[in-house]
């Protein structure tokens, strides 16, 4: 099943955006990002019933949540910085992905949504 992200855009530093991803029914869901010329980077993921885990670069600024009734995953991003500029991808996987930061452990991906933060 294709995951679909939305909510990206352009903001100034210090601003906020909320990304959405549907459907969100996989055992483990996460967000990755990829800036031009860089490798895909893990941002956060969640195992159903557990608390999300975050990369150090976004901890305290980004919040992952899941609305099971809407089958949607959200990434609330605050205090955005220019270095957060990237294409953001939603990903889903099985139990291997739950505590993984490796893109190869996630089987399902969206097309990405662009986030651009200007200084």
């Amino acid at each position: 099943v294709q995951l679909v992200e939305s909510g990206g855009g352009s903001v100034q530093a210090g601003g906020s955006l909320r990304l959405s991803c549907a459907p969100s029914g996989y055992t483990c869901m996460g967000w990755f990002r990829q800036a031009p010329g860089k490798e895909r980077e893990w941002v956060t993921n969640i195992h159903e019933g557990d608390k999300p885990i975050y990369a150090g670069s976004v901890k305290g600024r980004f919040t992952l949540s899941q609305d099971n009734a809407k089958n949607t995953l959200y990434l609330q991003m605050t205090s955005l910085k220019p270095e957060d500029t990237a294409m953001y991808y939603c990903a889903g996987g099985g139990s291997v992905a739950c505590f993984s930061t490796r893109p190869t452990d996630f089987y399902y991906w969206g097309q990405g949504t662009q986030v651009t933060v200007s200084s």
Side-chain angles (χ1 to χ4, degrees):
V1 176
Q2 180 72 49
L3 300 175
V4 180
E5 305 99 334
S6 61
S10 297
V11 296
Q12 291 191 327
S16 300
L17 284 172
R18 189 177 78 158
L19 307 183
S20 300
C21 169
S24 64
Y26 296 103
T27 301
C28 296
M29 300 291 301
W31 289 92
F32 288 76
R33 66 186 181 185
Q34 189 166 17
K38 295 188 176 181
E39 293 188 352
R40 192 162 294 191
E41 173 190 27
W42 170 73
V43 176
T44 177
N45 59 13
I46 187 170
H47 175 221
E48 54 187 10
D50 289 342
K51 291 183 179 180
I53 53 175
Y54 300 95
S57 59
V58 307
K59 195 170 186 179
R61 301 188 298 119
F62 290 12
T63 303
L64 179 65
S65 62
Q66 198 165 11
D67 186 333
N68 292 327
K70 295 183 178 181
N71 203 16
T72 301
L73 189 75
Y74 300 101
L75 182 64
Q76 179 68 50
M77 306 185 295
T78 62
S79 300
L80 284 162
K81 304 175 181 180
E83 51 263 43
D84 294 319
T85 295
M87 185 72 79
Y88 282 71
Y89 297 91
C90 176
S95 57
V96 173
C98 288
F99 304 101
S100 174
T101 63
R102 300 185 303 182
T104 51
D105 286 334
F106 289 79
Y107 303 139
Y108 306 99
W109 292 87
Q111 293 297 313
T113 185
Q114 178 67 38
V115 172
T116 303
V117 184
S118 58
S119 58

